[in-house]
Structures are given as structure tokens and as C-alpha cells.
Amino acid sequence: MAFKPEKFIEEKIAELKEQVKGKALIACSGGVDSTVAAVLVNRAVGDKLISFFVDTGYMRKNEPQQIKEMLQDKGLNLHFIDAREEFYGALKGIEDPEKKRKIIGEKFIRIFEREANKVNADYLVQGTIAPDWIESGGGLRDTIKSHHNVGGLPKDMKMKLVEPLRDLYKDEVRKVARALGVPVAERQPFPGPGLAIRIMGEATPERADIVREACFIVEDEIDKAVANKEIERPWQYFAVLLPVRTVGVHGDVRAYGNTIAVRAVSSLDAMSADYSKMPHEVLDRISIRITNELKSKVNRVVYDITNKPPATVEWE
Ligand code: XMP
């Protein structure tokens, strides 16, 4: 039977009205899952749902502001938490990818707990969707990378869990998003740990700024190429900052700068992916902009031509 988003929304709101009797909390990332979950619960209980947005310092360029405006525009009772310094501090000196993920996940939970204690809520809303718990239940992916959004909850958590999207798959969530007028339905996926896992090695604030700008340029140029019908929109496209410096020249002066890898892939479900056969003209524009706009920082750009498997989409 075809999935009917309007019917799902109506039934879910009625169910949530019965289920959620007190104050509720949600951590909104601005991604489609948490936004849809927040909007649904907000429709059921109004301002009794408090939505937290945490700026980790590893978000994309302009993203915190845009997400803030979008969530407020949806009528959510929003608490914006600037936790950039806390995250930068927690990741200081950490190079191991799994450690970085664990620290980010834990930091997020600790900040969330701290803020939750101030509000004293009875319910915790999460945007968990079916593949999140299916994949985290000891499946193959779980052993490859620890999932950021599942499994990190404190064992003694007093709040009752509310997961309105638990039985939905991504395409169904997107349909619900469209029906709710949530404008995030077409965004490319973005990993929970954010830009921290696109900085190989230590994710310092300075390196976060470099990869943030490079990611912005990759997105901007690819979006323009899509709009000009030069290419189909890849599933995901971004920049990665490598932990090696290489020699270059600026004018006739020797430079020793960072290397950016550009990644663009097509995929159906992220379980496997093909690297995008990007026209050289598009790669050229990306490379020129990155090395111009990050002149003193980056002097080499490479393109990742690996499929998944054997590589993963992200580099960490
Ligand atoms: P990989 O790198 O495993 O990525 O091939 C597959 C897809 O998952 C995204 N990804 C994550 N998403 N939390 C998330 O919510 C994470 O920790 C995480 N790690 C990877 C990745 O961007 C790609 O779309």
C-alpha cells in the first residue's frame, strides 16, 4: 500500500497528543529527521516541546543561522546553544577518528543533559528512523563506524523516549517533510559529527574554518553546475582537509600549504556509492576558487576517485 504522508501526519499527531502529557525536549540538528519529528510533536503539544539547537563549531558555513531561522519559522520553541568553544576544547589534541566521534557524541549528550536539567522535561523526542536502529543493532555498519545519533543515551535517563518516525524510511520522511512544508527535504546528507570528520587529524578551530570554506565552495560550484544543467546533482559532495602539507608556488615564492580532497558520489542508500564522473570544467572551477579564496592556506586540490566499497563516503 502506498505511503500517505497526510494520513500519517494526522494519525501521528493524534497519537502524540495521547502519548506526550508533559514537557518534552528535542535536539534539532536542522536535518530532515529531527526537524520533521520536532514539527510533528510541536503540532501535537505546542510550546510544551522545547527544541534545542547546538552549534558545535563543526557546522557548514551559515548553517547555524539558517537552521535557527528555519526552526523559528516553523513555530518551534527554540533554545539556541553556542557550544563551539566546548567542542573545540574537547577535541584538542585528538587525532583518532573513532575517538573524535565518541567525544563529539558524548559532549553532545552532556550538553544536552545540562540544558535538559534546566528545563526538567518528562519526554525526550528523537528523530530516529528505521535504518538508524536496524543498522545500529549490531549490523555490519555498526562495526565500521559508531553511529552518532543512537546508543549514546545515558543508561539512567529519566525522560521517556518518543520516536515518532521510528517506522519510516528516508523517502517516507521526505514525503512527510514536504507535506509539513519543512524546507529541508532536498538537502544532501550531512554526518552527525559534522565537519570534524572531514578534517583528518586534529579538528582545531582554524582547520574547521578551512574545511568549512572549502566545503562551501564545493557545494556552491556543484549547485551552480546542476542549475546550469552541466551535471546531475550528486548524492553528496564536499571537501576534506588532509593532514599533509605540500609544496607550491605563489608568484615566485615557495609556499608550503594544506591539501584539500574533493569528494562527490552518487548513491541510492549510502551502503554503496560511485564516485561522480565530474566534468573537468567543474573541477577546474572548484580548484581555482579553493586555491584563490584560501590562498595562504591551501595550495593543492585533489579529486577522490574511489567507490564505496572499498572506501567509505566520508574519509573518517
Ligand atoms: P560512510 O562514510 O559510512 O557514510 O560511507 C555513509 C553516509 O552516512 C553519513 N554518515 C553519518 N551520518 N552520523 C550520521 O548521521 C554519522 O556518524 C555518520 N557517518 C557517516 C555519510 O555522510 C554518508 O551520507
Side-chain angles (χ1 to χ4, degrees), residues 21-287:
K21 292 294 184 195
K23 248 192 226 171
L25 281 183
I26 184 168
C28 265
S29 64
V32 63
D33 303 341
S34 61
T35 307
V36 167
V39 172
L40 277 176
V41 178
N42 174 262
R43 296 253 171 118
V45 305
D47 274 359
K48 277 198 284 178
L49 173 71
I50 299 165
S51 301
F52 286 142
F53 174 80
V54 179
D55 182 357
T56 62
Y58 297 106
M59 320 285 300
R60 283 169 290 189
K61 189 174 176 180
N62 303 329
E63 198 171 27
Q65 195 55 30
Q66 283 165 358
I67 291 173
K68 183 178 174 191
E69 283 166 19
M70 187 266 293
L71 296 175
Q72 282 173 337
D73 186 57
K74 287 280 125 206
L76 299 182
N77 180 1
L78 182 72
H79 290 204
F80 186 94
I81 300 150
D82 179 356
R84 286 176 296 177
E85 293 306 322
E86 279 187 67
F87 277 89
Y88 291 150
L91 287 180
K92 200 167 162 41
I94 309 294
E95 293 183 0
D96 179 77
E98 281 302 293
K99 273 197 194 135
K100 280 160 74 176
R101 279 171 180 272
K102 288 236 157 61
I103 289 172
I104 293 170
E106 265 170 41
K107 188 88 214 151
F108 199 90
I109 300 283
R110 293 289 93 78
I111 291 174
F112 191 73
E113 274 179 338
R114 187 181 71 206
E115 299 299 320
N117 281 338
K118 294 182 194 162
V119 206
N120 204 7
D122 308 299
Y123 299 89
L124 175 65
V125 182
Q126 286 210 305
T128 319
I129 66 171
D132 292 338
W133 56 269
I134 293 168
E135 283 179 19
S136 287
L140 176 65
R141 194 180 183 295
D142 196 39
T143 58
I144 300 174
K145 282 174 188 174
S146 51
H147 235 288
H148 170 59
N149 27 347
V150 198
L153 293 174
K155 292 204 171 49
D156 58 351
M157 192 183 75
K158 304 253 165 21
M159 290 182 283
K160 292 185 209 80
L161 207 55
V162 179
E163 296 179 314
L165 310 178
R166 222 188 130 71
D167 298 325
L168 302 193
Y169 283 84
K170 200 79 189 185
D171 59 317
E172 295 168 333
V173 179
R174 291 215 162 105
K175 285 179 186 155
V176 174
R178 277 186 213 110
L180 288 170
V182 170
V184 289
E186 311 305 336
R187 298 196 65 169
Q188 61 164 318
F190 187 62
L195 297 177
I197 60 163
R198 294 180 181 170
I199 302 165
M200 303 302 96
E202 189 183 352
T204 63
E206 297 74 29
R207 293 179 77 73
D209 284 343
I210 296 174
V211 83
R212 189 176 355 260
E213 199 56 39
C215 272
F216 173 74
I217 294 169
V218 172
E219 284 197 36
D220 193 43
E221 285 303 324
I222 289 185
D223 288 345
K224 281 184 197 153
V226 171
N228 290 338
K229 302 207 166 19
E230 282 174 90
I231 54 168
E232 300 254 325
R233 186 181 300 284
W235 156 275
Q236 220 169 344
Y237 40 108
F238 53 89
V240 177
L241 178 58
L242 304 193
V244 283
R245 288 195 293 164
T246 72
V247 173
V249 283
H250 283 168
D252 49 9
V253 180
R254 179 186 180 278
Y256 191 46
N258 287 295
T259 307
I260 286 284
V262 175
R263 180 94 164 124
V265 297
S266 62
S267 175
L268 286 177
D269 55 6
M271 299 302 277
S272 64
D274 290 334
Y275 80 86
S276 300
K277 314 297 180 286
M278 195 63 67
H280 278 251
E281 292 73 19
V282 180
L283 292 174
D284 210 27
R285 293 197 291 264
I286 290 173
S287 158

